[in-house]
Amino acid sequence: MSDPCAVRQFSGHRARLALDAALARKIDAQAHAARALWNLLHVWWQMTPREQRVAAHADAVIRQARKEIDWLGALPAQAAQGVLKTYLRAWQNCWDGRAGAPTFKSRGKSTMSVDIPQGGNLQVVRVHRRWGTVSIPKIGHVKFRWTRHLPVGRNANGGNRITGARLVKDALGWHITFRIQTLEPMPTPHAGPEVGIDLGITVPLFLSDGTAFRHDPWLSAKEQAKLLRLERTAARRKARRTPGRPRSRRLDITYGQIAGLRAKAKRRALDWQHKTTTATAERYSTVVVEQLNITNMVKSAKGPLKAPGRHVRQKSGLNRAISGEAWGRTMELLAYKTARRGGSLVKVPAAGTSRRCSTCGRTTAGSRESQAVFVCKNPDCGWSGNADHNASRNVLHLYRIGLVVIPAAGRAVARRARRVKPATAR
């Protein structure tokens, strides 16, 4: 009998596949067939009258196409149904205002992927400590890197099981992402302290208790030099290319090497974010961050032709640095990790947190002497310290006085909530 206090959790786990050249070509063929099927569905959608655009008609079209087109047969039937469901869901998201209308998927720009909707067909087995095997439809048993406990064998039941998977290819090769369902006890309220966090670039995460999380560059000096050399080589080869002709094989190889280095940097960044957010969620009960409109923050300063902007190159470098830190992903990780541990993530207005003194509460001109140092110019205060530390203390204070951001009707609205705890001296 299942625990009535247990809650159902859904998560994903990505693992690297160990493929030889023949198996990689087979999965490539399935991914290309899935992309082509999406494009065929899009053509059928545009040519079909509105009243006939239903799932049953689309399913019949897919079945007929798989019979008549040989290379579409490389895609398993369940994966073809997954393409249809994804396409219909994309239109539903468009109608609900969550995304734009679906478009064609190009061969060079779209992500190669194959969906495996049924988890029972995977037959996941752990071979030994580092490797496991998974059965992929029309491919066979494939080894994958075992880095996390999975609900398989005796650990699998109605509440804990793998519900499906997805094969995804990036610059580092093919990976499999398992969709996992677990039944876990209801989390008890977290007993840890509250903390405010200031998101930055020089110091990615600065906490109100003085803790600072830093990281080294995602690529070593040797890797950065190699990336710069490859980018220059790609620029030269692209300039020599005749307009209207396909890219040369050398240019494709160079683009692949560049993508490999960038994918390696992204993987290291994601690993650091997971470790940092996990440590924060385990220690603190309430994590308070600023409500940032990152999309507006990374807009270009180029401006129109009639009114060109200033310091465009400096702003471009700042935009790249902000995008490289992936603040939005950090907040998403903190949101679900704090919730699973009985805590919560709260957002407060960001206006003035970096210019206001966290001790006297006043905003005095000239207090922000530099990007890293804050010295309060109020004669009655004079507090000095790290600017990011000062901002994180202000973030926490806004929460303690009840000024939090509450989503309302698709927009964030700052409201002064009922004060639960009085503001205390920090």
Side-chain angles (χ1 to χ4, degrees), residues 354-367:
S354 61
R355 301 191 304 271
R356 186 169 55 251
C357 178
S358 59
T359 300
C360 66
R362 295 185 179 181
T363 301
T364 309
S367 296

Side-chain angles (χ1 to χ4, degrees), residues 291-320:
Q291 174 68 29
L292 300 175
N293 192 336
I294 303 175
T295 302
N296 291 340
M297 293 176 65
V298 297
K299 283 186 176 180
S300 174
K302 187 175 181 179
L305 293 176
K306 295 182 179 179
R310 301 174 58 189
H311 308 294
V312 177
R313 288 191 176 182
Q314 295 87 330
K315 183 61 167 63
S316 298
L318 177 62
N319 292 348
R320 286 193 297 269

Side-chain angles (χ1 to χ4, degrees), residues 409-425:
R411 65 186 187 279
V413 180
R415 295 181 182 176
R416 190 172 297 276
R418 181 177 62 89
R419 193 166 73 178
V420 180
K421 297 182 179 180
T424 57

